[in-house]
């Protein structure tokens, strides 16, 4: 137990020390993301999202570290999905598809779907295969590219879903994009009154200072609860997830 926690910490530090590459490419630079895919398809039960998530968590705790939302913060996302019961969902930052599997497995409304943006093409391929293995391909569209450069994809998706806005948005990409991409969503009327906005990594260490400030200073727009936890697979690293309800200004 202690040894596996140490090895996860070592793999976290290895990724953190390679931060420049991680931030540029979205991968740790040592092939761990592809190794995760191979492990999932050979180990997890096909068509079983829970088995896929369990295998990803166990692998992260015993072999490597991954920036999945993970099993400490995952239940916060789960509860938020329960609360908003969304039909039309957006994710910013797919990575290997952990949270996409978690979200899609909770979409119970008929015709409900998740649109997920990922800038790294290899991550897109890995995520698509993991989502396929979980049996959730029909519920998830992974779009390759940066959200702010592929806004039309989001607009087309809303049109296809016959919806004016997203019922739920999960923000989990690079921290310097939280505020600008949230504002893009707002300015393009992609959030409706009562839409849920869930943001990962809002804790004291890696939290995006500008978005934390925005949430704090706009309570009339984002009615927010913060849920404290620890960062993925690192019990010693404090982190939190915020869950906000978006409010349109009331007309006088
Ligand atoms: C923390 S990981 C996402 C983890 C994932 N949500 C999960 O819990 O399984 C962040 C991901 O966002 C991607 N990313 C960063 N900036 C992005 C952007 N502007 N648009 C799309 N993807 C982005 C990175 O390549 C990386 O794979």
């Amino acid at each position: 137990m202690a040894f596996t926690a140490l090895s996860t910490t070592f793999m976290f530090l290895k990724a953190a020390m390679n931060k420049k590459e991680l931030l540029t490419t979205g991968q740790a630079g040592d092939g761990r993301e592809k190794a995760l895919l191979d492990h999932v398809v050979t180990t997890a039960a096909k068509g079983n999202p829970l088995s896929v998530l369990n295998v990803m968590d166990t692998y992260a705790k015993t072999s490597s570290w991954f920036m999945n939302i993970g099993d400490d913060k995952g239940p916060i996302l789960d509860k938020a999905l329960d609360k908003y019961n969304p039909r039309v969902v957006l994710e910013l930052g797919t990575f290997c598809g952990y949270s996409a599997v978690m979200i899609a497995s909770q979409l119970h409304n008929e015709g409900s779907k998740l649109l997920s943006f990922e800038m790294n093409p290899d991550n897109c391929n890995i995520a698509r295969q993991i989502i396929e293995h979980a049996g959730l391909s029909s519920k998830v569209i992974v779009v390759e590219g940066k959200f702010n450069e592929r806004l039309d994809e989001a607009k087309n998706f809303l049109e296809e879903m016959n919806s004016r806005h997203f019922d739920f948005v999960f923000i989990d990409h690079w921290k310097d994009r939280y505020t600008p991409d949230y504002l893009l969503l707002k300015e393009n009327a992609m959030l409706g009154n009562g839409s849920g906005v869930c943001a990962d990594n809002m804790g004291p260490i890696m939290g995006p200072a500008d978005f934390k400030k925005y949430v704090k200073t706009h309570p009339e727009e984002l009615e927010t609860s913060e849920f404290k936890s620890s960062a993925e697979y690192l019990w010693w690293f404090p982190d939190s997830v915020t869950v906000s309800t978006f409010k349109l200004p009331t007309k006088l």
Side-chain angles (χ1 to χ4, degrees), residues 4 30 34-36 43 47 60 70 81 83 92 99 108 124 126 128 171 176 207 218-219 222 232 239 242:
T4 54
D30 53 11
K34 171 72 170 62
L36 174 67
T43 315
L81 289 161
K83 174 177 170 184
L92 303 182
S99 49
H108 305 302
C124 288
I126 290 169
R128 287 186 190 115
I171 306 180
D176 61 343
H218 292 74
L222 289 168
E232 45 271 35
D239 197 6
T242 54

Side-chain angles (χ1 to χ4, degrees), residues 11 32 39-40 72 97 132 140 211 223 230 242:
M11 293 302 277
R32 67 180 75 181
H39 185 70
V40 168
D72 278 320
E132 160 80 28
V140 186
F211 191 63
E223 198 181 286
S230 51
T242 54

Side-chain angles (χ1 to χ4, degrees), residues 228-248:
K228 295 192 172 150
S229 183
S230 51
E232 45 271 35
Y233 315 119
L234 302 168
W235 59 267
W236 48 270
F237 193 129
D239 197 6
S240 62
V241 175
T242 54
V243 180
S244 311
T245 301
F246 178 77
K247 306 263 185 201
L248 279 175

Side-chain angles (χ1 to χ4, degrees), residues 25-26 67-70 91-100 117-120 123 145-148 170 172-175 177 181 200-201 232:
T25 68
M67 51 184 167
N68 315 319
I69 189 167
E91 173 176 63
L92 303 182
T94 322
F95 188 46
C96 296
Y98 181 102
S99 49
F117 284 83
E118 170 55 50
M119 67 175 195
N120 178 295
N123 286 349
K146 293 185 176 171
F147 174 66
N148 59 309
F170 179 49
D172 192 20
H173 55 343
W174 293 158
K175 308 314 148 204
R177 292 301 313 172
D181 287 347
D200 189 16
N201 304 126
E232 45 271 35

Side-chain angles (χ1 to χ4, degrees), residues 108-178:
H108 305 302
N109 289 309
E110 205 182 321
S112 47
K113 265 191 187 164
L114 165 68
L115 183 73
S116 182
F117 284 83
E118 170 55 50
M119 67 175 195
N120 178 295
D122 294 326
N123 286 349
C124 288
N125 285 331
I126 290 169
R128 287 186 190 115
Q129 289 178 71
I130 287 182
I131 292 162
E132 160 80 28
H133 194 81
L136 292 166
S137 288
S138 64
K139 284 197 172 282
V140 186
I141 300 171
V142 176
V143 178
E144 183 187 318
K146 293 185 176 171
F147 174 66
N148 59 309
E149 295 168 3
R150 309 284 326 258
L151 215 57
D152 278 357
E153 286 282 341
K155 288 182 182 163
N156 292 342
F157 176 76
L158 286 175
E159 223 174 281
E160 276 159 30
M161 294 295 285
N162 206 9
S163 180
R164 287 196 179 163
H165 57 256
F166 290 100
D167 303 321
F168 188 86
V169 178
F170 179 49
I171 306 180
D172 192 20
H173 55 343
W174 293 158
K175 308 314 148 204
D176 61 343
R177 292 301 313 172
Y178 276 38

